[in-house]
Amino acid sequence: MFFDRPPSGELAVLVHLNLSHGQEPEDPREFEELVLSAGGDPIAFVTGKSVSPKAKFFIGTGKLQELQQLVTEHEARLVIFNHTLTPSQERNLEKELQCRVLDRTGLILDIFAQRARTHEGKLQVELAQLRHMSTRLVRGWTHLERQKGGIGLRGPGETQLETDRRLLRGRITLIEQRLEKVRSQREQGRRSRLRAAIPTVSLVGYTNAGKSTLFNRLTGADVYVENQLFATLDPTMRRIELADIGGVVFADTVGFISHLPHKLVEAFRATLEEASNSTLLLHVIDAPAEARLHNIEQVDLVLKEIGAAELPQLKVYNKIDLIAVAPRIDRDEFGKPIAVWLSAQTGAGCDLLEQAISEVLGEEMVIGDLLLSPLQGKFRAALYQQQAIGDEHYRDDGVCELHLRIPKSYLLRILSAQALSFESLVWAD
């Protein structure tokens, strides 16, 4: 679009360094899975150790020579780093290697670009790509002169780099405006669910933990499922009926990953807001994964970043068919469900999950026959607005007896607006 860069290809040389200080190291096996998910063909894997990254090439001159030999030997057109590179490091490496260089963030952006299906998803990916690209415009249009002089060649007075930046800013602003419209539409949907007192349950978890398979199993949906990283990108929502709870909206979300690029978190804010505004989070965990504890920590970090860390959470240990574990519900000392072990692939334990969800949501539900005097008509109207009343009838003394079913948080909000207290309510025997 804006760059004169070396051509790219599928044959890729992978580079992973173990740095002795700095942030938590990346997983080389996950890195290779990312490359395969992007459609790359890894032909060599360069590893090494370093105290800290070098300013010019990220790697030392010895590793650079090794990379040059591998690129020439295998005729590779792509070198991918399992690290975040600065724009100048990318530019210097491409100049030396004479092939395309991609860092971890660029790789994940490429996967997201392949997976986006809906208009909203494509907008979010493009926004993340443009923000990433805006820091790399220093390499732009190197095949053109920055300014031209002479009769008939004088431009508007700005360099090509300035033109590129202006075009990028304009496109970013346009996409942000469109996504703001999407956010307002989502917010409107959330408000209508709030008025109808319908709880929302969001499936969150590390990428490839089995969220979409579980979502399909619970809701009967047909969301795309594949054994690869970031198979699901576009959010999907379905409503089902649960015993003792009624209507519940389930939301399938994009998977998280270690050091999820901040540009993606920002671009996908409209989607991730579904999780941060949920009544309950189902944290789906790949039970057989060796890095299970690490993956749980990474998901918790992202939840904290999007403001969803304090929401009620039920852990779901998936894929128990691979480790020969029986389905079960784990409870805390008060008997409240905290984890469910199941297999979304076979369906074993999914009934236990529905039971656990009903118990957790049911604790927050107020269900009973409420008595209201003729003077409490305003309170009754507010309950009807929340669609919290099942049926009602009037006694001979004028008292209205109605069957109430509403989340306790919604009821407390109504009571506060009416200057009433929960203790003042009168219930039928």
Side-chain angles (χ1 to χ4, degrees), residues 197 364-368 382-383 386-389 404-412 414 427:
E364 300 299 320
M365 298 292 290
V366 176
I367 303 174
L383 292 174
Q386 287 284 347
Q387 300 181 24
I389 299 176
L404 187 67
R405 183 184 167 282
I406 184 174
K408 189 172 183 179
S409 60
Y410 297 175
L411 178 57
L412 293 176
I414 295 173
W427 301 92

Side-chain angles (χ1 to χ4, degrees), residues 222-241:
D222 190 24
V223 172
Y224 174 71
V225 174
E226 191 62 53
N227 185 25
Q228 58 187 12
L229 302 186
F230 298 118
T232 301
L233 188 59
D234 301 305
T236 308
M237 306 186 78
R238 293 288 187 276
R239 173 174 172 160
I240 67 170
E241 297 292 321

Side-chain angles (χ1 to χ4, degrees), residues 1-3 87-88 91 130-141 146 158-174:
M1 180 179 175
F2 289 101
F3 307 140
S88 61
R91 185 170 65 254
L130 289 176
R131 285 174 172 167
H132 184 67
M133 191 186 298
S134 64
T135 64
R136 283 153 169 76
L137 279 181
V138 65
R139 74 164 108 248
W141 295 71
R146 294 301 181 186
E158 60 180 6
T159 65
Q160 186 63 58
L161 187 59
E162 289 166 342
T163 303
D164 293 347
R165 283 176 177 153
R166 178 168 50 81
L167 291 172
L168 268 182
R169 283 195 300 270
R171 181 64 181 167
I172 287 173
T173 301
L174 178 63

Side-chain angles (χ1 to χ4, degrees), residues 115-127:
R115 301 285 189 271
R117 296 288 183 271
T118 65
H119 178 63
E120 177 194 351
K122 291 175 181 178
L123 282 177
Q124 291 174 130
V125 171
E126 185 180 356
L127 178 61

Side-chain angles (χ1 to χ4, degrees), residues 196-269:
I198 300 175
T200 302
V201 178
S202 290
L203 282 72
V204 299
Y206 210 76
T207 182
N208 206 29
K211 294 183 296 300
S212 295
T213 304
L214 180 60
F215 181 81
N216 289 343
R217 176 73 63 177
L218 292 173
T219 65
D222 190 24
V223 172
Y224 174 71
V225 174
E226 191 62 53
N227 185 25
Q228 58 187 12
L229 302 186
F230 298 118
T232 301
L233 188 59
D234 301 305
T236 308
M237 306 186 78
R238 293 288 187 276
R239 173 174 172 160
I240 67 170
E241 297 292 321
L242 287 182
D244 302 324
I245 297 298
V248 175
V249 172
F250 280 83
D252 190 18
T253 63
V254 62
F256 302 153
I257 196 169
S258 298
H259 308 134
L260 187 66
H262 189 72
K263 296 181 183 70
L264 283 178
V265 175
E266 278 294 305
F268 279 75
R269 187 159 61 90

